[in-house]
Each structure stands twice: as C-alpha cells, then as structure tokens.
Amino acid sequence: MRNKGRKIKRYKGSFDTRSFRRRRIIRWVVILLVLFAASYFLAPPILDAGSRLWYSVIRGQDIDGDQSQSQSQPLPASDSQSAVEVTPSPEPTPEPTEKGDWRQVSLGELATPEQAAQTASQLASEGVKYAVVTLKDSTGTVAYASQVPAAAGGISASPIDAAAAAKALSDAGITPVACLWGYQDPIAARTDRTMAVSYGAEEGVLWLDNAADAGGNPWLNPYSEAANQYLEDLALEAVSMGYEQVVFCGFHFPLVNSLSSASFGETGGKGQAQILSENIQRLEQALAAKDAECWFQYSAAAVLGEDLRPAGVAVSGLGMERLVVQLPADTADPAATLAACAQAVPDTQLVYRVSAAPDEALRQAADQAGYLGAVIG
C-alpha cells in the first residue's frame, strides 16, 4: 500500500509570541498616528474647498467677495438658526442736562411767530441755553389753544401759538421748556369740582385757601385721578408741540397753616408725602417715555424742611430726579443755602431760580455745589 502523506497542522499559538504581539501593537499605533496627522492637516483645506465649491457652483455666490459683507450683515434666517444669539448691549445712560443759563420768557415776547423768532435770536445772542415758557399759570389760565378737554374752561382769551414758539426757540439752538402749574389751579377746580379739594363733609362745596371775600381760591386735589390725568395730558401735549422739558410749579398741597377743614376724599391711607412722591414718579415716567425731562420747583425752605406745608415733610425726600430750587430775593446767604439744598438731594439734577441775574460769586458757588444753571426771571 501507498502511504498517505501526513497533514501538517499549524497552530496560531506557535507564531503568537510576545515579541510578535508587541510589533503588531506598535504597527497599529503608528498607523493610527499617521491617519490622525493626515486628517489634522488635510481636513481644513478639504472642508474649505468644499465650502467654496458649494457657494460658487451650487449657490452662485462669491465667498471671497461676500466675506466682508457677512461681517456687518445678519445671516439669512435659514442659516442663522444655529448661530449663537448675541444679547444686545444695554442702552447708554442719558447725559445729564447741559449746563447753561435758563431764561423765563414772557408770553408777550412770543405773541406772534415773528416775535417768537426775534426773541429766540436775541436770547441766543446772549448765550441762553434754555427758555422757559409758562403754558399754564397759577391762576389756571392755559396760554395756548389746548386740545385737552379739561383745559377748555381755562384757555386764554389771547392764546399764543405755543408750537411756533417752541420751533423758533429750537431753530435758534435753544431748548424750549414748558412751565405748568400743578394743583394750584382755581379755574380747573371750579370747572370740574370732582378734581378739587372739598370743604369738610359738604358734598360739592369747594374748599378755599382763604375767605371768599379775601380772594380765597380752590385747589386741585392731589389724590384725584382726574386731576393728575389732566396735568399729565397737558405735559404730554407740550412735548408734542416741541417742548423738550417740563417744569411743574405749584405741585404741592395748599400753603396754609391748617388743612383741618379740607376733604381729599378717598386717600387709600396715603399721606401727603407719599401721594406727591407717587404723582411725581408718574409724570417722570410719562415724560421719559417721550424722551422728555421732568422738573419740579420748590422753595429752598421746603427742600430743607424749614417749611413743611408743601408736602408735610421736607420735599427733599420726595425722590424727584430733577429739582428747581427757588431762591428768595431776601436770602441772607444764598450760596450757603444752595449748598445745603444740594447736600439734601445728592442724587438729583439741580438748577436754581432767581428773580435777577446772579453775580459771579453766586454763579461760582452754585457751580461748585453741582447746579447746572440759574433760571432767571
């Protein structure tokens, strides 16, 4: 018989030595490192070429030509959904009112548009920065043909063109400022008694700040929503006519020694200071929404707490943002008085009102105390 050939079996373990395994591991490590290095250096050019091909061929755009524009223009809606949303920077804090002289302008100087233009030119030549025009005075008379319904009974018999006056001042580089008397308004109080302070419990009877035969007058009620809305409407109307700032005078309770006979209706438990503070904030917010500034004028004695009749407390605690300090002509030491008022309201913008132009010494003292200027007249 022919012997069959023997089959040789080879076992894996015969070649799987420790040195062989080590070489195989090293070989794979080298291969992985080479692949990693190749992908690191080759991937960006490949992706960039792909992007260029997409924009130039598929979408018909020149990526190099559009690159500078893409830095200043937002992405299309379809491409910007995955972009990180950038929170816009907060609006810068408005600069405080510019320093400079304020001048009270009489209505006679603004009787016609031509006179208003002449007055504005004269004020500009004198370096006046702000012109204050009283659009509603302490008698309740409204100096222009107001469209506010509650003002109908108080419109002057010879109204001025308030919008033309504001434009003339603005064209001359002067900021128009409207002055409105607040609660000291006998005309509106008599026209609509629901807005007025009442006498005791007698419904419909007006409280007067003096005896009727001695010229006593009624006042608007600081707690009355209708009265406050009337003042707000007048202020916004002034802004719509071109007045960039509004000064409220007479924005206080009646200046009498006793209010025991006065009835203010439903007060909600709020004292004089609280309701005035809330009404001040209301007007400030309403005017700020129209990019206009709101000022409140009080006597130096009221600011320092020497006269508590306006608010029941020192008005320095009412929290107004801008304050006009009225300086009496007989003030013994005006510079010291202005400095004390400034210290009482350290976070408030300030101007002061005097009847005549202050001398240089007072100007310098007021400037050092932080006042932005003097309202003259």
Side-chain angles (χ1 to χ4, degrees), residues 30-359:
V30 172
I31 291 172
L32 291 174
L33 290 175
V34 171
L35 291 175
F36 177 80
S39 63
Y40 181 83
F41 290 104
L42 295 179
I46 293 173
L47 292 175
D48 183 68
S51 299
R52 292 174 183 274
L53 179 63
W54 166 260
Y55 279 95
S56 61
V57 177
I58 305 300
R59 301 186 63 176
Q61 296 180 5
D62 183 3
I63 192 171
D64 293 328
D66 292 342
Q67 186 173 7
S68 61
Q69 296 179 6
S70 66
Q71 294 175 356
S72 60
Q73 297 178 356
L75 291 173
S78 59
D79 295 337
S80 62
Q81 292 177 354
S82 60
V84 178
E85 183 178 354
V86 179
T87 302
S89 301
E91 292 293 329
T93 303
E95 292 295 326
T97 302
E98 182 184 359
K99 288 187 176 182
D101 272 347
W102 298 52
R103 186 73 58 83
Q104 180 73 49
V105 182
S106 69
L107 296 178
E109 297 174 285
L110 307 170
T112 66
E114 293 75 21
Q115 285 179 298
Q118 184 178 358
T119 299
S121 177
Q122 179 62 33
L123 293 175
S125 68
E126 297 173 6
V128 174
K129 297 291 186 182
Y130 303 86
V132 182
V133 182
T134 301
L135 296 184
K136 183 168 82 77
D137 62 21
S138 59
T139 70
T141 301
V142 179
Y144 64 100
S146 173
Q147 299 302 305
V148 177
I155 295 177
S156 171
S158 54
I160 66 168
D161 188 338
K167 185 178 186 305
L169 293 168
S170 296
D171 290 346
I174 299 172
T175 300
V177 182
C179 177
L180 298 173
W181 281 73
Y183 303 115
Q184 188 173 349
D185 186 340
I187 293 179
R190 288 191 171 99
T191 302
D192 184 352
R193 298 193 173 201
T194 64
M195 297 195 300
V197 179
S198 299
Y199 181 78
E202 299 184 36
E203 186 176 355
V205 179
L206 296 177
W207 177 90
L208 304 180
D209 57 9
N210 202 348
D213 56 4
N217 283 310
W219 281 59
L220 292 178
N221 183 357
Y223 292 93
S224 168
E225 170 61 26
N228 288 303
Q229 188 62 56
Y230 172 46
L231 298 179
E232 181 179 334
D233 290 344
L234 284 178
L236 294 178
E237 186 175 54
V239 173
S240 71
M241 293 188 297
Y243 293 85
E244 300 177 26
Q245 304 190 30
V246 178
V247 176
F248 281 96
C249 301
F251 200 83
H252 50 70
F253 282 79
L255 302 181
V256 296
N257 293 326
S258 175
L259 292 172
S260 59
S261 61
S263 175
F264 298 98
E266 179 58 46
T267 65
K270 299 175 181 178
Q272 296 180 18
Q274 182 178 353
I275 194 62
L276 286 180
S277 180
E278 291 179 1
N279 295 342
I280 285 172
Q281 292 178 21
R282 169 179 176 166
L283 290 170
E284 287 177 339
Q285 292 171 4
L287 290 178
K290 299 296 183 180
D291 295 324
E293 295 184 353
C294 188
W295 295 80
F296 295 89
Q297 177 176 302
Y298 293 99
S299 69
V303 175
L304 297 175
E306 298 170 357
D307 183 0
L308 301 181
R309 294 175 300 171
V313 297
V315 299
S316 57
L318 297 182
M320 71 284 293
E321 296 178 358
R322 299 173 182 87
L323 174 64
V324 180
V325 177
Q326 185 175 13
L327 195 63
D330 59 354
T331 304
D333 190 344
T337 299
L338 290 180
C341 289
Q343 292 175 359
V345 284
D347 300 322
T348 303
Q349 292 186 37
L350 295 168
V351 295
Y352 62 102
R353 180 184 283 272
V354 287
S355 56
D359 58 29

